[in-house]
Amino acid sequence: MPGHFEPLPGGGAAVALDEVEISIIRSLAVQLLELIGPGPAENAPDDPLAELFAEGPSEPPSDPVLRRLFPDAYSGPDVEAGSPEEAEEQRAHSAEFRRFTENDLRAGKRENALAVIRSLDALTTAGDGGAVLKLSPGESEQWLRALNDLRLAIGARLDVVEEEDTDLLYRLPDEDPRKPMVMAYLWLGGLQETLVETLMP
């Protein structure tokens, strides 16, 4: 179990984490929460219906990490290869889609990150500071989505776009200042992969 998730009888997953690993995952999840920001209801707590009727932004975020987490619905090489009129139409469709979906997407990502933090905070650590994290099937799915978001965020900071970019990360020299972020990216990828395997029928 050390370093990777294993299935639990009856569903769910478990992984042994040491004190440093617990601290790293929790810190990354907190940073993700701060990056995503508060929801509309948190900005207007006096109006319980505010979030229900709130519209999201229509423009993509300026931060490259947020752009990776909340991409345009209509984008890519096919859109760019079209005529200027078609590209403008696709941008308008993306803006409309974003306006009605981004708040819900942000809320979901916030809830997943919070689920990670709560489950780590509930751990009872042993004398060496380590613990075994046990997740229900529902918690496993939240963890899987949160791990994906964390890897997308770190990947955006590392300019990882293609699979070949990940291959280059393995060859970074130890003195490269990006090395700790690379190690976290690759480690989270291993956790994510083994968690996917536990959820497969």
Side-chain angles (χ1 to χ4, degrees), residues 102-116:
E102 187 168 311
N103 282 346
D104 287 341
L105 290 173
R106 283 181 182 257
K109 291 181 186 301
R110 267 193 301 274
E111 193 52 45
N112 294 331
L114 279 170
V116 168

Side-chain angles (χ1 to χ4, degrees), residues 67-115:
R67 274 201 308 276
R68 184 76 60 90
L69 291 171
F70 305 103
D72 273 335
Y74 304 94
S75 63
D78 292 341
V79 172
E80 294 165 14
S83 69
E85 293 80 13
E86 289 171 330
E88 183 58 38
E89 183 180 355
Q90 296 304 323
R91 280 193 290 273
H93 289 318
S94 286
E96 189 76 356
F97 186 82
R98 181 180 297 278
R99 194 158 61 93
F100 291 110
T101 60
E102 187 168 311
N103 282 346
D104 287 341
L105 290 173
R106 283 181 182 257
K109 291 181 186 301
R110 267 193 301 274
E111 193 52 45
N112 294 331
L114 279 170

Side-chain angles (χ1 to χ4, degrees), residues 3-5 15-18 20-32 65 69 112-113 116-117 120 133 135 140 142-158 160 166 169-170 178-197:
H4 61 272
F5 279 97
V15 62
L17 299 171
D18 64 32
V20 173
E21 292 169 334
I22 293 168
S23 175
I24 289 171
I25 297 173
R26 191 185 189 287
S27 174
L28 290 172
V30 167
Q31 291 176 53
L32 182 63
V65 174
L69 291 171
N112 294 331
V116 168
I117 294 167
L120 292 175
L133 173 70
L135 302 173
S140 297
Q142 285 186 298
W143 263 76
L144 187 59
R145 290 190 292 268
L147 288 172
N148 186 60
D149 287 341
L150 290 174
R151 291 194 77 240
L152 284 173
I154 296 172
R157 293 286 187 236
L158 293 171
V160 173
T166 303
L169 297 179
Y170 286 99
R178 297 170 295 171
K179 192 71 172 188
M181 199 184 308
V182 167
M183 297 306 293
Y185 178 80
L186 297 174
W187 173 58
L188 292 173
L191 282 178
Q192 184 181 18
E193 186 176 338
T194 59
L195 185 52
V196 167
E197 289 169 2

Side-chain angles (χ1 to χ4, degrees), residues 1-66:
M1 186 185 309
H4 61 272
F5 279 97
E6 292 184 358
L8 287 173
V15 62
L17 299 171
D18 64 32
E19 193 171 8
V20 173
E21 292 169 334
I22 293 168
S23 175
I24 289 171
I25 297 173
R26 191 185 189 287
S27 174
L28 290 172
V30 167
Q31 291 176 53
L32 182 63
L33 273 178
E34 291 171 352
L35 185 66
I36 293 170
E42 295 169 62
N43 290 327
D46 294 336
D47 184 358
L49 297 177
E51 192 165 7
L52 184 62
F53 295 106
E55 290 184 0
S58 57
E59 294 296 321
S62 58
D63 186 294
V65 174
L66 289 174

